[in-house]
Amino acid sequence: MKLVFATNNLNKLAEVQKMLPDSIELLSLKDISCFEDIEETASTLEGNAQIKANHITENYKYNCFADDTGLEVEALNGAPGVYSARYAGEPVNAENNMQKLLHVLKNTDNRQAHFRTSICLNLNGEQHFFDGVCKGEILHDKQGEKGFGYDPIFKPEGHSMSFAKMSSEEKNKISHRGLAIQKLVQFLLSLS
Ligand code: IMP
């Protein structure tokens, strides 16, 4: 079966392909010649994942899954959430996003936060959702150089270092996206 992962991130694609049997062939957006921007206009992570998956299924007639992730900070009632990528405005810039969050939380003792990933799968006319959560806290300063986005200021629960100090293998095992993908893979394996 061919299954589109609505991404152009080849690392993400390879990571998931490794977890799937050979009977499932993952395709990227480029593989199906989808080059247009799919606007993420929903107010929830589930909604944005659904927009992307539906765009592919409706326009390209493929089974497809799409993901969307946000950082939800307890003291900010879940912000930046679905707006995580553009928290500090345009142009999208991880450094500015982190500086804004550190500034907003400067006098806040409650540093609890979690990343949440929602995956929407369109398979043979049915829609399924999977989610993954990684709890942790927002640090007071940046730590580490690896990863992307808010990784240098996020320390996952039960660990002594930020995401940005972990190898991608270590991070994938415990991360929101890793957990959501594992649920998706379990579901796909249960069908075969
Ligand atoms: P996306 O839905 O995977 O594109 O994620 C949206 C935004 O959330 C990204 O632009 C990052 O700012 C942030 N984000 C998502 N996943 C991570 C992560 O694993 N570490 C740090 N930031 C992340």
Side-chain angles (χ1 to χ4, degrees):
M1 172 182 63
K2 289 184 193 300
L3 180 63
V4 175
F5 182 2
T7 183
N8 279 319
N9 183 328
L10 296 184
N11 293 323
K12 275 195 199 177
L13 199 81
E15 191 69 41
V16 183
Q17 181 71 74
K18 267 192 268 169
M19 297 162 80
L20 290 171
D22 290 346
S23 55
I24 300 177
E25 183 192 348
L26 281 191
L27 303 174
S28 69
L29 291 175
K30 191 171 162 230
D31 290 331
I32 59 164
S33 300
C34 172
F35 300 112
E36 66 272 18
D37 247 357
I38 308 170
E39 278 201 59
E40 300 177 23
T41 51
S43 57
T44 61
L45 299 173
E46 287 76 10
N48 278 338
Q50 186 180 43
I51 287 175
K52 287 185 270 187
N54 285 354
H55 180 90
I56 301 307
T57 304
E58 284 161 18
N59 294 289
Y60 296 83
K61 313 297 174 206
Y62 277 102
N63 286 323
C64 173
F65 69 92
D67 67 340
D68 199 37
T69 296
L71 174 62
E72 300 178 334
V73 178
E74 200 172 278
L76 305 178
N77 298 316
V82 73
Y83 307 108
S84 295
R86 290 170 178 73
Y87 186 44
E90 298 281 351
V92 171
N93 179 322
E95 181 60 32
N96 290 349
N97 287 342
M98 283 190 287
Q99 292 310 329
K100 176 169 176 184
L101 187 56
L102 290 176
H103 180 73
V104 169
L105 292 179
K106 202 165 61 181
N107 299 313
T108 308
D109 291 333
N110 180 2
R111 317 286 298 187
Q112 298 298 312
H114 57 260
F115 278 106
R116 197 162 67 82
T117 293
S118 176
I119 291 178
C120 175
L121 168 70
N122 286 343
L123 187 68
N124 304 330
E126 290 192 355
Q127 193 154 66
H128 307 266
F129 287 89
F130 306 89
D131 78 345
V133 173
C134 181
K135 288 189 192 173
E137 64 187 73
I138 305 298
L139 298 167
H140 289 271
D141 302 291
K142 293 197 294 175
Q143 286 180 13
E145 305 285 331
K146 299 190 189 114
F148 71 102
Y150 298 86
D151 278 352
I153 60 168
F154 183 82
K155 184 173 81 63
E157 202 172 81
H159 293 261
S160 56
M161 54 179 156
S162 75
F163 264 165
K165 285 194 160 182
M166 296 183 174
S167 67
S168 57
E169 288 78 18
E170 274 177 296
K171 182 184 163 189
N172 284 339
K173 270 189 223 149
I174 58 164
S175 84
H176 40 292
R177 201 176 358 268
L179 297 174
I181 295 276
Q182 281 171 33
K183 287 185 196 171
L184 168 77
V185 169
Q186 284 309 317
F187 177 78
L188 291 171
L189 291 177
S190 75
L191 301 176
S192 55

